[in-house]
PDB file of all heavy atoms in Angstrom:
ATOM      1  N   PHE S 111     -17.535  -0.934   9.291  1.00 97.00           N
ATOM      2  CA  PHE S 111     -18.824  -0.267   9.062  1.00 97.00           C
ATOM      3  C   PHE S 111     -20.031  -1.064   9.565  1.00 97.00           C
ATOM      4  O   PHE S 111     -21.157  -0.608   9.457  1.00 97.00           O
ATOM      5  CB  PHE S 111     -19.020   0.006   7.559  1.00 97.00           C
ATOM      6  CG  PHE S 111     -18.032   0.965   6.984  1.00 97.00           C
ATOM      7  CD1 PHE S 111     -16.881   0.512   6.363  1.00 97.00           C
ATOM      8  CD2 PHE S 111     -18.236   2.331   7.086  1.00 97.00           C
ATOM      9  CE1 PHE S 111     -15.953   1.396   5.838  1.00 97.00           C
ATOM     10  CE2 PHE S 111     -17.319   3.224   6.562  1.00 97.00           C
ATOM     11  CZ  PHE S 111     -16.171   2.757   5.931  1.00 97.00           C
ATOM     12  N   PHE S 133     -13.543 -10.844  -0.447  1.00 94.00           N
ATOM     13  CA  PHE S 133     -13.839  -9.460  -0.817  1.00 94.00           C
ATOM     14  C   PHE S 133     -14.117  -9.442  -2.321  1.00 94.00           C
ATOM     15  O   PHE S 133     -13.252  -9.819  -3.118  1.00 94.00           O
ATOM     16  CB  PHE S 133     -12.605  -8.614  -0.476  1.00 94.00           C
ATOM     17  CG  PHE S 133     -12.629  -7.186  -0.934  1.00 94.00           C
ATOM     18  CD1 PHE S 133     -13.226  -6.195  -0.164  1.00 94.00           C
ATOM     19  CD2 PHE S 133     -12.006  -6.811  -2.123  1.00 94.00           C
ATOM     20  CE1 PHE S 133     -13.216  -4.870  -0.572  1.00 94.00           C
ATOM     21  CE2 PHE S 133     -11.983  -5.479  -2.541  1.00 94.00           C
ATOM     22  CZ  PHE S 133     -12.592  -4.510  -1.753  1.00 94.00           C
ATOM     23  N   LEU S 135     -14.945  -7.312  -5.422  1.00 97.00           N
ATOM     24  CA  LEU S 135     -15.084  -6.040  -6.137  1.00 97.00           C
ATOM     25  C   LEU S 135     -14.824  -6.228  -7.639  1.00 97.00           C
ATOM     26  O   LEU S 135     -15.656  -5.859  -8.471  1.00 97.00           O
ATOM     27  CB  LEU S 135     -14.102  -5.014  -5.539  1.00 97.00           C
ATOM     28  CG  LEU S 135     -14.109  -3.616  -6.140  1.00 97.00           C
ATOM     29  CD1 LEU S 135     -15.467  -2.943  -5.939  1.00 97.00           C
ATOM     30  CD2 LEU S 135     -13.029  -2.737  -5.493  1.00 97.00           C
ATOM     31  N   ALA S 144     -12.900   0.728 -10.657  1.00 94.00           N
ATOM     32  CA  ALA S 144     -13.859  -0.007  -9.813  1.00 94.00           C
ATOM     33  C   ALA S 144     -15.274   0.564  -9.903  1.00 94.00           C
ATOM     34  O   ALA S 144     -16.257  -0.144  -9.652  1.00 94.00           O
ATOM     35  CB  ALA S 144     -13.379   0.010  -8.369  1.00 94.00           C
ATOM     36  N   PHE S 145     -15.377   1.826 -10.279  1.00 93.00           N
ATOM     37  CA  PHE S 145     -16.710   2.440 -10.355  1.00 93.00           C
ATOM     38  C   PHE S 145     -17.557   1.847 -11.484  1.00 93.00           C
ATOM     39  O   PHE S 145     -18.764   2.025 -11.524  1.00 93.00           O
ATOM     40  CB  PHE S 145     -16.566   3.953 -10.563  1.00 93.00           C
ATOM     41  CG  PHE S 145     -17.257   4.736  -9.498  1.00 93.00           C
ATOM     42  CD1 PHE S 145     -16.518   5.522  -8.624  1.00 93.00           C
ATOM     43  CD2 PHE S 145     -18.627   4.677  -9.336  1.00 93.00           C
ATOM     44  CE1 PHE S 145     -17.137   6.237  -7.617  1.00 93.00           C
ATOM     45  CE2 PHE S 145     -19.263   5.395  -8.337  1.00 93.00           C
ATOM     46  CZ  PHE S 145     -18.516   6.170  -7.472  1.00 93.00           C
ATOM     47  N   ILE S 147     -18.343  -1.206 -12.153  1.00 97.00           N
ATOM     48  CA  ILE S 147     -18.888  -2.556 -11.946  1.00 97.00           C
ATOM     49  C   ILE S 147     -20.308  -2.659 -12.492  1.00 97.00           C
ATOM     50  O   ILE S 147     -21.050  -1.675 -12.534  1.00 97.00           O
ATOM     51  CB  ILE S 147     -18.869  -2.984 -10.454  1.00 97.00           C
ATOM     52  CG1 ILE S 147     -19.626  -1.988  -9.570  1.00 97.00           C
ATOM     53  CG2 ILE S 147     -17.457  -3.211  -9.960  1.00 97.00           C
ATOM     54  CD1 ILE S 147     -19.850  -2.495  -8.156  1.00 97.00           C
ATOM     55  N   THR S 177     -18.083 -10.074   1.072  1.00 96.00           N
ATOM     56  CA  THR S 177     -18.388  -8.642   1.059  1.00 96.00           C
ATOM     57  C   THR S 177     -18.503  -8.277  -0.420  1.00 96.00           C
ATOM     58  O   THR S 177     -17.501  -8.287  -1.141  1.00 96.00           O
ATOM     59  CB  THR S 177     -17.271  -7.828   1.740  1.00 96.00           C
ATOM     60  OG1 THR S 177     -17.139  -8.300   3.085  1.00 96.00           O
ATOM     61  CG2 THR S 177     -17.595  -6.346   1.748  1.00 96.00           C
ATOM     62  N   VAL S 178     -19.732  -8.011  -0.860  1.00 98.00           N
ATOM     63  CA  VAL S 178     -19.975  -7.835  -2.303  1.00 98.00           C
ATOM     64  C   VAL S 178     -20.360  -6.385  -2.602  1.00 98.00           C
ATOM     65  O   VAL S 178     -21.175  -5.793  -1.883  1.00 98.00           O
ATOM     66  CB  VAL S 178     -21.126  -8.765  -2.777  1.00 98.00           C
ATOM     67  CG1 VAL S 178     -21.341  -8.636  -4.278  1.00 98.00           C
ATOM     68  CG2 VAL S 178     -20.830 -10.214  -2.409  1.00 98.00           C
ATOM     69  N   PHE S 179     -19.790  -5.876  -3.677  1.00 98.00           N
ATOM     70  CA  PHE S 179     -20.103  -4.509  -4.092  1.00 98.00           C
ATOM     71  C   PHE S 179     -20.971  -4.564  -5.346  1.00 98.00           C
ATOM     72  O   PHE S 179     -20.622  -5.247  -6.321  1.00 98.00           O
ATOM     73  CB  PHE S 179     -18.812  -3.720  -4.339  1.00 98.00           C
ATOM     74  CG  PHE S 179     -18.014  -3.622  -3.085  1.00 98.00           C
ATOM     75  CD1 PHE S 179     -17.092  -4.610  -2.747  1.00 98.00           C
ATOM     76  CD2 PHE S 179     -18.245  -2.588  -2.188  1.00 98.00           C
ATOM     77  CE1 PHE S 179     -16.393  -4.556  -1.557  1.00 98.00           C
ATOM     78  CE2 PHE S 179     -17.544  -2.523  -0.993  1.00 98.00           C
ATOM     79  CZ  PHE S 179     -16.620  -3.513  -0.668  1.00 98.00           C
ATOM     80  N   ALA S 180     -22.110  -3.867  -5.283  1.00 98.00           N
ATOM     81  CA  ALA S 180     -23.061  -3.915  -6.407  1.00 98.00           C
ATOM     82  C   ALA S 180     -23.692  -2.551  -6.596  1.00 98.00           C
ATOM     83  O   ALA S 180     -23.807  -1.760  -5.646  1.00 98.00           O
ATOM     84  CB  ALA S 180     -24.137  -4.965  -6.111  1.00 98.00           C
ATOM     85  N   LYS S 181     -24.119  -2.309  -7.836  1.00 98.00           N
ATOM     86  CA  LYS S 181     -24.815  -1.047  -8.126  1.00 98.00           C
ATOM     87  C   LYS S 181     -26.254  -1.168  -7.630  1.00 98.00           C
ATOM     88  O   LYS S 181     -26.958  -2.132  -7.973  1.00 98.00           O
ATOM     89  CB  LYS S 181     -24.823  -0.790  -9.636  1.00 98.00           C
ATOM     90  CG  LYS S 181     -23.458  -0.411 -10.204  1.00 98.00           C
ATOM     91  CD  LYS S 181     -23.328   1.087 -10.403  1.00 98.00           C
ATOM     92  CE  LYS S 181     -21.896   1.532 -10.644  1.00 98.00           C
ATOM     93  NZ  LYS S 181     -21.440   1.411 -12.015  1.00 98.00           N
ATOM     94  N   THR S 182     -26.686  -0.209  -6.831  1.00 98.00           N
ATOM     95  CA  THR S 182     -28.083  -0.227  -6.384  1.00 98.00           C
ATOM     96  C   THR S 182     -28.907   0.853  -7.088  1.00 98.00           C
ATOM     97  O   THR S 182     -30.112   0.941  -6.885  1.00 98.00           O
ATOM     98  CB  THR S 182     -28.183  -0.065  -4.848  1.00 98.00           C
ATOM     99  OG1 THR S 182     -27.208   0.876  -4.408  1.00 98.00           O
ATOM    100  CG2 THR S 182     -27.943  -1.390  -4.159  1.00 98.00           C
ATOM    101  N   GLY S 191     -24.036   4.787 -11.667  1.00 95.00           N
ATOM    102  CA  GLY S 191     -24.944   4.453 -10.572  1.00 95.00           C
ATOM    103  C   GLY S 191     -24.226   4.366  -9.239  1.00 95.00           C
ATOM    104  O   GLY S 191     -22.995   4.346  -9.182  1.00 95.00           O
ATOM    105  N   LYS S 192     -25.030   4.307  -8.161  1.00 97.00           N
ATOM    106  CA  LYS S 192     -24.431   4.262  -6.817  1.00 97.00           C
ATOM    107  C   LYS S 192     -24.111   2.826  -6.424  1.00 97.00           C
ATOM    108  O   LYS S 192     -24.854   1.897  -6.753  1.00 97.00           O
ATOM    109  CB  LYS S 192     -25.404   4.861  -5.803  1.00 97.00           C
ATOM    110  CG  LYS S 192     -25.602   6.342  -6.041  1.00 97.00           C
ATOM    111  CD  LYS S 192     -25.844   7.074  -4.749  1.00 97.00           C
ATOM    112  CE  LYS S 192     -25.570   8.544  -4.935  1.00 97.00           C
ATOM    113  NZ  LYS S 192     -26.729   9.372  -4.680  1.00 97.00           N
ATOM    114  N   ILE S 193     -23.025   2.673  -5.692  1.00 98.00           N
ATOM    115  CA  ILE S 193     -22.577   1.337  -5.273  1.00 98.00           C
ATOM    116  C   ILE S 193     -22.932   1.131  -3.799  1.00 98.00           C
ATOM    117  O   ILE S 193     -22.804   2.045  -2.983  1.00 98.00           O
ATOM    118  CB  ILE S 193     -21.051   1.208  -5.480  1.00 98.00           C
ATOM    119  CG1 ILE S 193     -20.719   1.282  -6.985  1.00 98.00           C
ATOM    120  CG2 ILE S 193     -20.506  -0.079  -4.869  1.00 98.00           C
ATOM    121  CD1 ILE S 193     -19.235   1.280  -7.309  1.00 98.00           C
ATOM    122  N   THR S 194     -23.384  -0.079  -3.482  1.00 98.00           N
ATOM    123  CA  THR S 194     -23.667  -0.426  -2.081  1.00 98.00           C
ATOM    124  C   THR S 194     -22.889  -1.695  -1.738  1.00 98.00           C
ATOM    125  O   THR S 194     -22.696  -2.569  -2.590  1.00 98.00           O
ATOM    126  CB  THR S 194     -25.188  -0.641  -1.887  1.00 98.00           C
ATOM    127  OG1 THR S 194     -25.867   0.560  -2.255  1.00 98.00           O
ATOM    128  CG2 THR S 194     -25.536  -0.991  -0.442  1.00 98.00           C
ATOM    129  N   ALA S 195     -22.437  -1.774  -0.484  1.00 98.00           N
ATOM    130  CA  ALA S 195     -21.709  -2.975  -0.014  1.00 98.00           C
ATOM    131  C   ALA S 195     -22.683  -3.882   0.732  1.00 98.00           C
ATOM    132  O   ALA S 195     -23.517  -3.405   1.510  1.00 98.00           O
ATOM    133  CB  ALA S 195     -20.575  -2.563   0.910  1.00 98.00           C
ATOM    134  N   PHE S 196     -22.573  -5.189   0.485  1.00 98.00           N
ATOM    135  CA  PHE S 196     -23.461  -6.162   1.135  1.00 98.00           C
ATOM    136  C   PHE S 196     -22.663  -7.273   1.792  1.00 98.00           C
ATOM    137  O   PHE S 196     -21.635  -7.704   1.261  1.00 98.00           O
ATOM    138  CB  PHE S 196     -24.370  -6.831   0.090  1.00 98.00           C
ATOM    139  CG  PHE S 196     -25.343  -5.911  -0.561  1.00 98.00           C
ATOM    140  CD1 PHE S 196     -25.015  -5.280  -1.766  1.00 98.00           C
ATOM    141  CD2 PHE S 196     -26.586  -5.663  -0.001  1.00 98.00           C
ATOM    142  CE1 PHE S 196     -25.894  -4.429  -2.391  1.00 98.00           C
ATOM    143  CE2 PHE S 196     -27.485  -4.803  -0.623  1.00 98.00           C
ATOM    144  CZ  PHE S 196     -27.144  -4.181  -1.819  1.00 98.00           C
ATOM    145  N   VAL S 236     -26.959  -4.776   4.381  1.00 98.00           N
ATOM    146  CA  VAL S 236     -26.182  -3.677   3.784  1.00 98.00           C
ATOM    147  C   VAL S 236     -25.094  -3.275   4.777  1.00 98.00           C
ATOM    148  O   VAL S 236     -25.354  -3.092   5.970  1.00 98.00           O
ATOM    149  CB  VAL S 236     -27.095  -2.465   3.464  1.00 98.00           C
ATOM    150  CG1 VAL S 236     -26.259  -1.228   3.131  1.00 98.00           C
ATOM    151  CG2 VAL S 236     -28.026  -2.801   2.319  1.00 98.00           C
ATOM    152  N   ILE S 237     -23.865  -3.186   4.283  1.00 98.00           N
ATOM    153  CA  ILE S 237     -22.747  -2.753   5.150  1.00 98.00           C
ATOM    154  C   ILE S 237     -22.536  -1.259   4.929  1.00 98.00           C
ATOM    155  O   ILE S 237     -22.324  -0.815   3.804  1.00 98.00           O
ATOM    156  CB  ILE S 237     -21.444  -3.515   4.819  1.00 98.00           C
ATOM    157  CG1 ILE S 237     -21.650  -5.029   5.008  1.00 98.00           C
ATOM    158  CG2 ILE S 237     -20.303  -3.035   5.689  1.00 98.00           C
ATOM    159  CD1 ILE S 237     -20.424  -5.870   4.660  1.00 98.00           C
ATOM    160  N   GLY S 238     -22.612  -0.507   6.019  1.00 98.00           N
ATOM    161  CA  GLY S 238     -22.515   0.947   5.902  1.00 98.00           C
ATOM    162  C   GLY S 238     -23.817   1.476   5.321  1.00 98.00           C
ATOM    163  O   GLY S 238     -24.859   0.827   5.402  1.00 98.00           O
ATOM    164  N   GLU S 239     -23.743   2.633   4.686  1.00 97.00           N
ATOM    165  CA  GLU S 239     -24.976   3.226   4.153  1.00 97.00           C
ATOM    166  C   GLU S 239     -25.237   2.779   2.722  1.00 97.00           C
ATOM    167  O   GLU S 239     -24.285   2.583   1.954  1.00 97.00           O
ATOM    168  CB  GLU S 239     -24.838   4.754   4.126  1.00 97.00           C
ATOM    169  CG  GLU S 239     -25.053   5.402   5.448  1.00 97.00           C
ATOM    170  CD  GLU S 239     -24.814   6.900   5.334  1.00 97.00           C
ATOM    171  OE1 GLU S 239     -25.465   7.553   4.484  1.00 97.00           O
ATOM    172  OE2 GLU S 239     -23.961   7.398   6.078  1.00 97.00           O
ATOM    173  N   GLU S 240     -26.524   2.668   2.394  1.00 97.00           N
ATOM    174  CA  GLU S 240     -26.892   2.348   1.014  1.00 97.00           C
ATOM    175  C   GLU S 240     -26.363   3.456   0.100  1.00 97.00           C
ATOM    176  O   GLU S 240     -26.477   4.643   0.419  1.00 97.00           O
ATOM    177  CB  GLU S 240     -28.424   2.251   0.919  1.00 97.00           C
ATOM    178  CG  GLU S 240     -28.892   1.663  -0.373  1.00 97.00           C
ATOM    179  CD  GLU S 240     -30.426   1.531  -0.418  1.00 97.00           C
ATOM    180  OE1 GLU S 240     -31.058   1.315   0.628  1.00 97.00           O
ATOM    181  OE2 GLU S 240     -30.963   1.666  -1.529  1.00 97.00           O
ATOM    182  N   GLY S 241     -25.740   3.067  -1.002  1.00 97.00           N
ATOM    183  CA  GLY S 241     -25.215   4.066  -1.950  1.00 97.00           C
ATOM    184  C   GLY S 241     -23.817   4.560  -1.597  1.00 97.00           C
ATOM    185  O   GLY S 241     -23.219   5.324  -2.345  1.00 97.00           O
ATOM    186  N   LYS S 242     -23.303   4.116  -0.439  1.00 97.00           N
ATOM    187  CA  LYS S 242     -21.962   4.593  -0.023  1.00 97.00           C
ATOM    188  C   LYS S 242     -20.932   3.455  -0.066  1.00 97.00           C
ATOM    189  O   LYS S 242     -19.946   3.451   0.674  1.00 97.00           O
ATOM    190  CB  LYS S 242     -22.024   5.172   1.402  1.00 97.00           C
ATOM    191  CG  LYS S 242     -22.908   6.390   1.545  1.00 97.00           C
ATOM    192  CD  LYS S 242     -22.169   7.641   1.087  1.00 97.00           C
ATOM    193  CE  LYS S 242     -23.040   8.862   0.913  1.00 97.00           C
ATOM    194  NZ  LYS S 242     -23.676   9.339   2.117  1.00 97.00           N
ATOM    195  N   GLY S 243     -21.187   2.483  -0.929  1.00 97.00           N
ATOM    196  CA  GLY S 243     -20.324   1.299  -0.973  1.00 97.00           C
ATOM    197  C   GLY S 243     -18.921   1.581  -1.486  1.00 97.00           C
ATOM    198  O   GLY S 243     -17.973   0.881  -1.128  1.00 97.00           O
ATOM    199  N   PHE S 244     -18.774   2.590  -2.328  1.00 96.00           N
ATOM    200  CA  PHE S 244     -17.442   2.882  -2.860  1.00 96.00           C
ATOM    201  C   PHE S 244     -16.514   3.308  -1.715  1.00 96.00           C
ATOM    202  O   PHE S 244     -15.363   2.884  -1.643  1.00 96.00           O
ATOM    203  CB  PHE S 244     -17.529   3.975  -3.928  1.00 96.00           C
ATOM    204  CG  PHE S 244     -16.277   4.080  -4.745  1.00 96.00           C
ATOM    205  CD1 PHE S 244     -15.948   3.095  -5.666  1.00 96.00           C
ATOM    206  CD2 PHE S 244     -15.399   5.142  -4.586  1.00 96.00           C
ATOM    207  CE1 PHE S 244     -14.783   3.165  -6.418  1.00 96.00           C
ATOM    208  CE2 PHE S 244     -14.229   5.230  -5.328  1.00 96.00           C
ATOM    209  CZ  PHE S 244     -13.926   4.241  -6.250  1.00 96.00           C
ATOM    210  N   LYS S 245     -17.098   4.096  -0.806  1.00 95.00           N
ATOM    211  CA  LYS S 245     -16.316   4.533   0.362  1.00 95.00           C
ATOM    212  C   LYS S 245     -15.930   3.320   1.212  1.00 95.00           C
ATOM    213  O   LYS S 245     -14.812   3.214   1.703  1.00 95.00           O
ATOM    214  CB  LYS S 245     -17.163   5.519   1.179  1.00 95.00           C
ATOM    215  CG  LYS S 245     -16.436   6.125   2.314  1.00 95.00           C
ATOM    216  CD  LYS S 245     -17.300   7.116   3.067  1.00 95.00           C
ATOM    217  CE  LYS S 245     -16.729   7.296   4.467  1.00 95.00           C
ATOM    218  NZ  LYS S 245     -17.733   7.536   5.467  1.00 95.00           N
ATOM    219  N   VAL S 246     -16.886   2.385   1.357  1.00 96.00           N
ATOM    220  CA  VAL S 246     -16.601   1.174   2.133  1.00 96.00           C
ATOM    221  C   VAL S 246     -15.439   0.412   1.469  1.00 96.00           C
ATOM    222  O   VAL S 246     -14.473   0.018   2.130  1.00 96.00           O
ATOM    223  CB  VAL S 246     -17.858   0.264   2.220  1.00 96.00           C
ATOM    224  CG1 VAL S 246     -17.533  -1.059   2.914  1.00 96.00           C
ATOM    225  CG2 VAL S 246     -18.986   0.981   2.943  1.00 96.00           C
ATOM    226  N   ALA S 247     -15.535   0.250   0.144  1.00 96.00           N
ATOM    227  CA  ALA S 247     -14.488  -0.494  -0.580  1.00 96.00           C
ATOM    228  C   ALA S 247     -13.130   0.173  -0.404  1.00 96.00           C
ATOM    229  O   ALA S 247     -12.120  -0.489  -0.118  1.00 96.00           O
ATOM    230  CB  ALA S 247     -14.846  -0.591  -2.059  1.00 96.00           C
ATOM    231  N   MET S 248     -13.090   1.486  -0.566  1.00 94.00           N
ATOM    232  CA  MET S 248     -11.805   2.189  -0.479  1.00 94.00           C
ATOM    233  C   MET S 248     -11.237   2.133   0.947  1.00 94.00           C
ATOM    234  O   MET S 248     -10.038   1.990   1.146  1.00 94.00           O
ATOM    235  CB  MET S 248     -11.935   3.655  -0.938  1.00 94.00           C
ATOM    236  CG  MET S 248     -12.227   3.791  -2.420  1.00 94.00           C
ATOM    237  SD  MET S 248     -11.067   2.853  -3.469  1.00 94.00           S
ATOM    238  CE  MET S 248     -12.126   1.721  -4.333  1.00 94.00           C
ATOM    239  N   SER S 249     -12.130   2.211   1.952  1.00 93.00           N
ATOM    240  CA  SER S 249     -11.648   2.127   3.345  1.00 93.00           C
ATOM    241  C   SER S 249     -11.067   0.746   3.609  1.00 93.00           C
ATOM    242  O   SER S 249     -10.026   0.612   4.268  1.00 93.00           O
ATOM    243  CB  SER S 249     -12.785   2.368   4.341  1.00 93.00           C
ATOM    244  OG  SER S 249     -13.364   3.596   4.087  1.00 93.00           O
ATOM    245  N   ILE S 250     -11.735  -0.292   3.115  1.00 91.00           N
ATOM    246  CA  ILE S 250     -11.227  -1.660   3.308  1.00 91.00           C
ATOM    247  C   ILE S 250      -9.852  -1.779   2.657  1.00 91.00           C
ATOM    248  O   ILE S 250      -8.904  -2.304   3.242  1.00 91.00           O
ATOM    249  CB  ILE S 250     -12.191  -2.700   2.692  1.00 91.00           C
ATOM    250  CG1 ILE S 250     -13.520  -2.693   3.438  1.00 91.00           C
ATOM    251  CG2 ILE S 250     -11.570  -4.092   2.703  1.00 91.00           C
ATOM    252  CD1 ILE S 250     -14.606  -3.546   2.783  1.00 91.00           C
ATOM    253  N   LEU S 251      -9.757  -1.268   1.440  1.00 91.00           N
ATOM    254  CA  LEU S 251      -8.478  -1.394   0.723  1.00 91.00           C
ATOM    255  C   LEU S 251      -7.378  -0.577   1.399  1.00 91.00           C
ATOM    256  O   LEU S 251      -6.226  -1.001   1.443  1.00 91.00           O
ATOM    257  CB  LEU S 251      -8.642  -0.996  -0.747  1.00 91.00           C
ATOM    258  CG  LEU S 251      -9.449  -2.009  -1.566  1.00 91.00           C
ATOM    259  CD1 LEU S 251      -9.757  -1.473  -2.956  1.00 91.00           C
ATOM    260  CD2 LEU S 251      -8.729  -3.351  -1.677  1.00 91.00           C
TER     261      LEU S 251
END
Side-chain angles (χ1 to χ4, degrees):
F111 295 95
F133 173 86
L135 181 62
F145 237 115
I147 56 169
T177 301
V178 183
F179 298 88
K181 289 260 166 83
T182 39
K192 293 213 161 119
I193 295 175
T194 301
F196 294 93
V236 168
I237 301 178
E239 281 177 56
E240 192 178 328
K242 297 279 168 63
F244 194 71
K245 185 179 159 213
V246 175
M248 292 308 120
S249 303
I250 295 172
L251 289 172

